[in-house]
Amino acid sequence: MKKLIYGLILCLSLGSAMAQKDSVMSCFHFDEKDIMHMTVPEKKAKWFREAKFGMFLHWGLYSMLEGSYKGRTLPDTTLIHGKSWYAEWIQPRLEVPMDEYKALAKSFNPIKYNAEAWVREAKNAGMRYIVLTSKHHDGFALWDSKVSDFDVMNTPYKRDVIDELVKACKKYGMKYGFYYSHWQDWSFEGGARPHWEPMVDDNKFEKYWQEKSLPQVKELIVKYDPDLLWFDTWNEKCHITERRRDELIYLIRRNSQKCLINGRICFTNPGDYIDFLEMFDNAYPKEIINKPWQTPATMQHSWGYHAKDYNWKSADEMLRYLVNNTSKGGNYLLNIGPKADGSLPLPAVRRLREMGAWLMANGEAVYGAKPLNIKCPEGVYITQKTIKGKRYAYIFLTKAIEHLSLKLNSKKAVVLDTGQPIPVETTKLIFERGEEYEATFTIPADLFRDSSIQVLKVELQ
Ligand code: FHN
């Protein structure tokens, strides 16, 4: 009711000016009945909880500069805002004049872009969904947008990149979604600017919001029917108020029954109607979180392609993050920055294939697995699953360990990928508060000759 009144007041105060220009919706309000439809039903959101591993792709005009401009390379501490590896931030950080940056569109021609090859690579890596930057903070759209000319159709390439990716995802049964920078837009008047600049006047932001941000989101949903939308805010000081957040959610819900929405739509105040939480970049929670969630993560420091960012994580390190998140109920959205020509950097592909090989053998312990709330020593993670009426725990060992005791009741354990039996002894402990079981596994040292994560499949009593 409160929201209805709020909506009506808002309507009256914004007046007819907004109603006239707003082709997205004539007047923003919703009532209790609408709220019922403001979350995606559990059965349509289930895939996300079970998927565990997704591919993030940061690709745009910034990929052409590869992290360097006029002899400077990010991070460049001689420039006041140059201290960052993020190659997709190159325009403001290395002070590229906006006209010059926009002119990159005149030579964007990714002749090696092959959407099916990207999807196959994701699939082989064991990834279950793909999220591509449809528009990052620079404002450039990778699809045929009727809302803005700053798009891929005004490049020599003249092909709708998003449309091709969507078709490829459908062909291979891959879920897909789009990152859309709804708040920051450095090339459109009124779009939010980098945090070190004065905050854009709210009326100007409203114009950008109504004329570009909302219409482009609508376009993305109506044209491509995404499984999720990935919005991006991270600051306290942000134009995305509760009203704008709900206005955007309402727009999405009215046009899609299935599109999931991430918490960064309004990081400090995501509200009750988003579908999953988004952690900070490369942040891995230590506790179980019940609401669906994921960590967006980089393979290097940068998101966008950066030719001189040699800080590659190993496949093993990244598998540990995946396993950590799975054991806490979350997903791992791992980023790749494709090159400007559309090809995927080889170090990224090599790591994807290594991760895919591990998942091919151990995926049973990951996909669809749930957290198991028992205490594990450092470097040990655990999930659980019921298969044909039998309950199993999966223990991930990320380092050598001889005897492992956990509060479990089990008589049988094997190494998941080889079937090698692992001796286990369970004892019953009697306390005043009741009985508890403790299983002790004796793990042969030989198992750790293989440096990757070992998984024990444990039958529970
Ligand atoms: O500023 C962006 C950054 O470029 C990148 O897109 C990441 C991905 O999570 N989000 C913002 C910073 O958190």
Side-chain angles (χ1 to χ4, degrees):
M1 194 59 196
K2 210 168 100 200
K3 290 229 162 89
L4 173 63
I5 295 167
Y6 176 58
L8 286 172
I9 294 171
L10 192 93
C11 253
L12 291 171
S13 62
L14 287 179
S16 61
M18 179 178 153
Q20 267 168 33
K21 73 169 181 270
D22 184 6
S23 57
V24 176
M25 60 194 85
S26 55
C27 174
F28 173 61
H29 77 272
F30 58 85
D31 60 25
E32 303 293 334
K33 191 163 56 35
D34 298 321
I35 293 171
M36 304 274 293
H37 303 290
M38 288 188 83
T39 46
V40 172
E42 180 58 30
K43 68 174 192 305
K44 286 196 176 156
K46 197 163 151 260
W47 72 265
F48 182 82
R49 267 196 194 272
E50 294 180 347
K52 300 298 165 204
F53 195 24
M55 178 184 273
F56 209 1
L57 291 151
H58 275 66
W59 197 43
L61 297 182
Y62 44 81
S63 315
M64 299 169 77
L65 297 178
E66 306 187 346
S68 299
Y69 171 72
K70 286 203 173 152
R72 292 181 187 277
T73 292
L74 285 167
D76 184 327
T77 47
T78 64
L79 288 176
I80 179 162
H81 303 294
K83 199 178 160 213
S84 167
W85 281 95
Y86 285 10
E88 67 283 4
W89 277 73
I90 194 165
Q91 186 274 316
R93 291 200 178 272
L94 290 190
E95 299 173 9
V96 184
M98 188 39 99
D99 286 351
E100 211 179 300
Y101 183 85
K102 283 179 101 169
L104 288 171
K106 292 193 194 130
S107 38
F108 184 71
N109 195 14
I111 48 170
K112 292 193 181 156
Y113 173 59
N114 177 341
E116 290 200 14
W118 284 14
V119 177
R120 278 196 300 268
E121 211 56 73
K123 208 159 173 125
N124 288 338
M127 291 159 149
R128 299 276 168 102
Y129 57 109
I130 292 182
V131 182
L132 170 65
T133 47
S134 62
K135 180 200 89 160
H136 203 264
H137 309 330
D138 60 359
F140 178 73
L142 277 179
W143 76 98
D144 181 1
S145 176
K146 301 293 172 241
V147 177
S148 160
D149 286 342
F150 194 34
D151 73 349
V152 72
M153 301 318 274
N154 285 300
T155 68
Y157 194 57
K158 280 196 182 56
R159 270 161 55 184
D160 186 327
V161 162
I162 300 262
D163 188 52
E164 290 179 25
L165 185 71
V166 168
K167 287 189 175 124
C169 285
K170 285 186 177 158
K171 175 168 172 187
Y172 288 95
M174 180 71 78
K175 297 278 183 193
Y176 60 91
F178 312 124
Y179 172 110
Y180 182 85
S181 181
H182 63 319
W183 169 51
Q184 301 255 327
D185 192 314
W186 305 328
S187 59
F188 195 93
E189 208 201 337
R193 311 280 315 151
H195 54 269
W196 58 82
E197 288 188 28
M199 207 165 152
V200 168
D201 171 83
D202 202 61
N203 291 323
K204 288 200 175 130
F205 182 83
E206 183 62 23
K207 194 162 153 33
Y208 152 74
W209 184 247
Q210 297 297 337
E211 289 180 2
K212 184 169 181 185
S213 200
L214 294 178
Q216 281 200 327
V217 172
K218 183 170 178 185
E219 209 171 44
L220 284 171
I221 305 175
V222 172
K223 278 180 118 156
Y224 309 110
D225 195 22
D227 296 298
L228 70 84
L229 282 172
W230 207 110
F231 297 107
D232 208 357
T233 62
W234 56 89
N235 250 17
E236 280 289 343
K237 267 174 51 193
C238 174
H239 298 83
I240 308 301
T241 56
E242 214 168 285
R243 177 186 75 78
R244 290 196 178 108
R245 177 199 71 195
D246 290 347
E247 186 175 16
L248 180 51
I249 294 177
Y250 189 56
L251 166 73
I252 298 164
R253 301 298 187 221
R254 276 184 18 157
N255 289 285
S256 170
Q257 297 275 301
K258 66 163 191 187
C259 182
L260 306 180
I261 301 171
N262 75 338
R264 283 215 207 165
I265 192 168
C266 186
F267 187 81
T268 51
N269 182 16
D272 295 330
Y273 306 124
I274 54 134
D275 301 290
F276 63 93
L277 296 168
E278 198 76 59
M279 298 299 120
F280 271 129
D281 299 352
N282 298 302
Y284 306 101
K286 291 201 161 35
E287 305 294 332
I288 295 171
I289 300 173
N290 290 324
K291 194 164 175 86
W293 61 273
Q294 71 181 350
T295 300
T298 52
M299 281 203 191
Q300 309 152 266
H301 289 324
S302 180
W303 299 89
Y305 180 65
H306 189 319
K308 293 183 181 151
D309 178 358
Y310 306 118
N311 304 288
W312 292 92
K313 292 164 196 163
S314 68
D316 240 32
E317 180 182 348
M318 296 188 284
L319 282 172
R320 281 199 294 276
Y321 298 136
L322 169 66
V323 160
N324 173 77
N325 282 14
T326 305
S327 72
K328 309 291 180 291
N331 292 7
Y332 185 51
L333 182 67
L334 182 58
N335 182 71
I336 295 179
K339 294 185 182 183
D341 65 5
S343 62
L344 301 178
L346 276 188
V349 173
R350 200 257 281 170
R351 283 160 178 79
L352 285 183
R353 293 190 185 180
E354 283 181 34
M355 295 177 83
W358 184 88
L359 275 160
M360 184 181 59
N362 296 293
E364 179 186 322
V366 173
Y367 304 116
K370 295 193 171 124
L372 180 54
N373 196 6
I374 60 166
K375 210 166 156 23
C376 292
E378 171 83 43
V380 176
Y381 303 90
I382 192 160
T383 61
Q384 61 171 323
K385 215 180 211 181
T386 300
I387 304 172
K388 293 187 186 144
K390 261 202 182 126
R391 256 186 90 217
Y392 296 91
Y394 298 92
I395 303 172
F396 301 83
L397 306 169
T398 67
K399 60 181 185 195
I401 188 161
E402 200 183 335
H403 297 290
L404 172 69
S405 295
L406 297 173
K407 292 269 154 36
L408 294 174
N409 182 4
S410 167
K411 290 199 185 103
K412 194 175 169 201
V414 295
V415 177
L416 179 60
D417 73 343
T418 62
Q420 179 182 351
I422 295 294
V424 52
E425 246 178 60
T426 294
T427 46
K428 193 199 268 185
L429 310 168
I430 303 188
F431 300 101
E432 266 180 26
R433 61 175 188 272
E435 295 170 351
E436 269 179 17
Y437 291 88
E438 186 173 84
T440 301
F441 304 87
T442 304
I443 302 152
D446 275 7
L447 198 61
F448 301 100
R449 264 193 287 166
D450 180 342
S451 66
S452 70
I453 300 168
Q454 297 294 328
V455 183
L456 308 184
K457 179 175 181 179
V458 177
E459 211 174 299
L460 298 177
Q461 301 287 313

